[in-house]
Amino acid sequence: MITAVGQFQRDIQNELTVEGIAAAEAEGRYRGRPPALDGDRREDVRAAFHEGASIAALARAHGVSRAAVRTALADLLPGQGILPRPSA
């Protein structure tokens, strides 16, 4: 009997969790923080990087961290691909 009540409570919690996630996704608040550089700012950073600007200078100019600039430039930077895991 106690197990049945516990399972019922767990089912209710799972339903509420699914509903909460769906509501957050509908409002665009789910899946983490939005990127610091998006849209036109991202394209400006990429263009300036092609012209020879450093990552630190771009970060200072746009008021973001160097990591945010590296994220915006991820596909342009050498050696930023995913490394294969060493086999055991």
Side-chain angles (χ1 to χ4, degrees):
M1 183 66 167
I2 293 175
T3 305
V5 172
Q7 184 62 40
F8 177 70
Q9 182 178 8
R10 182 181 169 117
D11 291 342
I12 290 174
Q13 286 177 334
N14 287 341
E15 289 175 18
L16 292 174
T17 299
V18 169
E19 290 173 8
I21 290 172
E25 284 178 340
E27 295 175 9
R29 295 185 293 121
Y30 192 68
R31 302 281 186 232
R33 183 179 180 147
L37 293 169
D38 61 346
D40 291 338
R41 290 180 67 197
R42 181 175 183 260
E43 294 307 317
D44 291 344
V45 166
R46 292 169 71 90
F49 184 75
H50 275 299
E51 294 171 3
S54 71
I55 291 175
L58 290 170
R60 282 191 300 273
H62 290 276
V64 297
S65 68
R66 290 179 307 214
V69 173
R70 279 191 221 99
T71 299
L73 301 173
D75 59 330
L76 301 178
L77 298 174
Q80 295 297 315
I82 298 173
L83 298 174
R85 291 185 179 177
S87 54

